[in-house]
Amino acid sequence: MAHGGGEEEEERVLSHGDVVLLRCDLTILRGPHFLNDRIIAFYLAHLAADHDADDDLLLLPPSIPYLLSNLPDPASVAAVADPLRLASRRLVLLPVNDNPDVSHAEGGSHWTLLVLDNSNAVSGPRFVHHDSLPPTNLPAARRLAAVLRPLLPASAIPLIEGPTPRQTNGYDCGVFVLAVARAICNWWLTRARHSDSDSDSDWLEAVKREPFNSTSFSPFDCIYQSLPVTAQDFGTWCDMQSHKKVAAVKPVASRPSSRLRSFSMLQEDSTAIDSPRKTVEHIQHAIKRKQIQEKGACWDNLTVSQSVRKPNVSAKNSLSYDGYSWRKYGQKQVKGSEFPRSYYKCTHPTCPVKRKVEMTPDGRIAEIVYNGEHNHPKPHPPRKPTSSTSVETLVATNDAGLENKLEGCDQAIGSDAVVEALRGGCHCLDGFRNGNEISDCKKRYAYAVIFIQEKDLAD
DNA sequence: TAACTTTGACCTTTA
DNA sequence: TTAAAGGTCAAAGTT
């Protein structure tokens, strides 16, 4: 993980609230080197400062997800997570480290970004994992998602792998995390500025466009811009501040900033403390400190929680129905997974994309992982049906793959989206409006797909 | 009969 | 080198 000597002796050169950069970090910044948690926390704090205060967007420093992943019981997790108010956020960015040894502060070798996404009306709540070297951090991301799910109102929130350009060396994963975070924040701001934008859009395209490597993306470009020096003179300027003992660092009462902290260190942070409640208060206090703006300095405006205008969210929710056609080619129980894993290939003749789906016994999707990218447009949806006869037609096709193609539609039938359709006059649901009970499974699926198609066309 | 799923066997990857 | 686990194939079963 991060590297450096005894941190207590390390000289602090820059701070952003309680996020502090040490002299050894400057060496890392002059790179190319593996980014440590201080730098990641620092840059995320800087990103957060670009947003007006709001509760919708939350960027967490790496220490918080790591702590949550390794707490011994759900009660402790709930106590720590409670002040974060994850359930009420639209987007939560959680850096993930693969350090398996909670006693080893410098363990771990890979950074990725897990996004708790509650901003997309189509996909519904989901975890999106950005890994520049997949599937290296997938177990760690799964562990974090599993810890967070009980804290969220929706059940069985799926985890999907988001498109992430591959790193081409052994050290740029942290840079990729920051670049993805920047792309997401920029997308979020853009979406907020265009209130008429699609509520079903997401940042995945924005991530694809992001320049990714430590040459084209410097996490501290923005920091340089905030300093009274050029990027070239950055190190010299820090040296001067240090020698003058008037460093840019501000007084902080928080934990000594560190490399990725061991679990015991994290626990000590929250335990200077002797009760779960105090743990919460400690974290709340730390967050509050971040939110205190220090006027007139280079590192103002740091907040952990930032937000923008709330996007419009329709009730449309098609879960894993992604517009592509899939053929199932295998299923098996894999070790460490609670549910069977199904293997799918895109049915387009030249498309290499596959996906793995783990589904709960009640049909909800626990996880989706997508292996490449589609090399073709989404297939045209079937022509819009105009009456319940279309339902009969769909059922009569005896399409054995229908349920597979429409994963999630079952849930849609009972969802708020259907209720909305009933109120608003979605044509295909005349059967519902007339009080007809739909007991046949295929009919229910048929109603669901027609409903979704009508909504798509209407949108 | 065609399209699709299921499932056991086999292949590949990884530690 | 080997064993374990994941991924894929393909025959059999189902709709």
Side-chain angles (χ1 to χ4, degrees), chain A residues 110-129:
Chain A
H110 191 43
W111 289 109
T112 53
L113 185 68
L114 184 67
V115 182
L116 171 55
D117 175 25
N118 195 26
S119 68
N120 190 306
V122 173
S123 67
R126 59 181 177 173
F127 290 100
V128 181
H129 185 224

Side-chain angles (χ1 to χ4, degrees), chain A residues 174-252:
Chain A
V175 173
F176 276 62
V177 164
L178 300 185
V180 170
R182 184 179 68 171
I184 293 172
C185 288
N186 288 341
W187 166 81
W188 185 248
L189 273 178
T190 302
R191 185 167 117 152
R193 288 181 184 131
H194 300 85
S195 56
D196 58 341
S197 61
D198 293 339
S199 61
D200 61 351
S201 67
D202 58 37
W203 65 84
L204 303 185
E205 289 301 319
V207 168
K208 291 177 184 175
R209 292 193 298 268
E210 191 72 10
F212 281 92
N213 60 55
S214 52
T215 303
S216 61
F217 175 83
S218 166
F220 281 87
D221 282 348
C222 57
I223 295 177
Y224 295 142
Q225 290 164 13
S226 303
L227 291 169
V229 294
T230 65
Q232 290 77 10
D233 296 333
F234 177 64
T236 304
W237 180 82
C238 289
D239 288 341
M240 291 171 58
Q241 302 303 312
S242 172
H243 290 142
K244 288 192 295 184
K245 298 298 178 188
V246 191
V249 66
K250 296 183 190 306
V252 288

Side-chain angles (χ1 to χ4, degrees), chain A residues 64-359:
Chain A
I64 300 296
Y66 186 68
L67 177 63
L68 290 170
S69 290
N70 292 282
L71 284 168
D73 57 77
S76 302
V77 171
V80 171
D82 182 54
L84 303 176
R85 293 181 290 110
L86 299 177
S88 66
R89 314 286 186 177
R90 295 300 180 93
L91 281 178
V92 182
L93 275 57
L94 306 118
V96 178
N97 187 268
D98 64 343
N99 181 7
D101 183 358
V102 296
S103 67
H104 184 34
E106 298 183 16
S109 59
H110 191 43
W111 289 109
T112 53
L113 185 68
L114 184 67
V115 182
L116 171 55
D117 175 25
N118 195 26
S119 68
N120 190 306
V122 173
S123 67
R126 59 181 177 173
F127 290 100
V128 181
H129 185 224
H130 291 280
D131 188 342
S132 56
L133 208 61
T136 309
N137 254 18
L138 188 55
R142 282 175 173 166
R143 191 165 57 247
L144 178 57
V147 163
L148 297 180
R149 282 190 183 104
L151 307 171
L152 303 169
S155 61
I157 298 175
L159 185 155
I160 67 170
E161 285 287 338
T164 313
R166 303 290 184 92
Q167 63 186 88
T168 56
N169 54 48
Y171 49 81
D172 263 352
C173 54
V175 173
F176 276 62
V177 164
L178 300 185
V180 170
R182 184 179 68 171
I184 293 172
C185 288
N186 288 341
W187 166 81
W188 185 248
L189 273 178
T190 302
R191 185 167 117 152
R193 288 181 184 131
H194 300 85
S195 56
D196 58 341
S197 61
D198 293 339
S199 61
D200 61 351
S201 67
D202 58 37
W203 65 84
L204 303 185
E205 289 301 319
V207 168
K208 291 177 184 175
R209 292 193 298 268
E210 191 72 10
F212 281 92
N213 60 55
S214 52
T215 303
S216 61
F217 175 83
S218 166
F220 281 87
D221 282 348
C222 57
I223 295 177
Y224 295 142
Q225 290 164 13
S226 303
L227 291 169
V229 294
T230 65
Q232 290 77 10
D233 296 333
F234 177 64
T236 304
W237 180 82
C238 289
D239 288 341
M240 291 171 58
Q241 302 303 312
S242 172
H243 290 142
K244 288 192 295 184
K245 298 298 178 188
V246 191
V249 66
K250 296 183 190 306
V252 288
S254 63
R255 63 176 172 83
S257 169
S258 74
R259 50 198 61 79
L260 185 70
R261 302 168 66 74
S262 72
F263 187 59
S264 59
M265 294 159 73
L266 288 169
Q267 285 189 308
E268 282 171 15
D269 287 348
S270 52
T271 61
I273 340 187
D274 53 14
S275 73
R277 184 65 219 160
K278 285 189 177 179
T279 302
V280 172
E281 290 170 357
H282 181 82
I283 291 176
Q284 284 177 320
H285 183 60
I287 292 172
K288 184 120 184 176
R289 273 203 307 274
K290 289 169 181 282
Q291 292 176 326
I292 297 173
Q293 297 184 359
E294 300 178 67
K295 301 295 182 187
C298 295
W299 312 111
D300 288 352
N301 307 322
L302 167 63
T303 59
V304 168
S305 168
Q306 302 290 345
S307 71
V308 292
R309 189 180 313 157
K310 285 188 177 182
N312 291 327
V313 177
S314 79
K316 188 162 101 176
N317 182 352
S318 64
L319 296 178
S320 73
Y321 176 61
D322 61 2
Y324 293 97
S325 179
W326 300 92
R327 179 178 65 81
K328 187 175 184 177
Y329 66 93
Q331 175 178 319
K332 71 187 313 180
Q333 186 70 44
V334 296
K335 189 179 182 182
S337 177
E338 188 177 353
F339 309 113
R341 176 178 297 173
S342 298
Y343 298 88
Y344 297 84
K345 288 177 179 174
C346 179
T347 58
H348 190 278
T350 63
C351 184
V353 176
K354 297 174 183 174
R355 73 175 185 179
K356 298 178 291 189
V357 178
E358 292 179 16
M359 195 170 290

Side-chain angles (χ1 to χ4, degrees), chain A residues 399-444:
Chain A
D399 184 355
L402 183 61
E403 294 178 24
N404 175 43
K405 293 174 185 173
L406 302 176
E407 287 168 339
C409 291
D410 198 358
Q411 284 75 39
I413 278 292
S415 71
D416 291 341
V418 170
V419 175
E420 181 193 64
L422 288 170
R423 288 181 182 145
C426 186
H427 194 94
C428 75
L429 294 173
D430 286 341
F432 272 97
R433 269 197 294 275
N434 293 335
N436 298 342
E437 182 182 356
I438 303 177
S439 56
D440 179 79
C441 177
K442 283 186 177 174
K443 272 194 177 179
R444 296 171 66 226

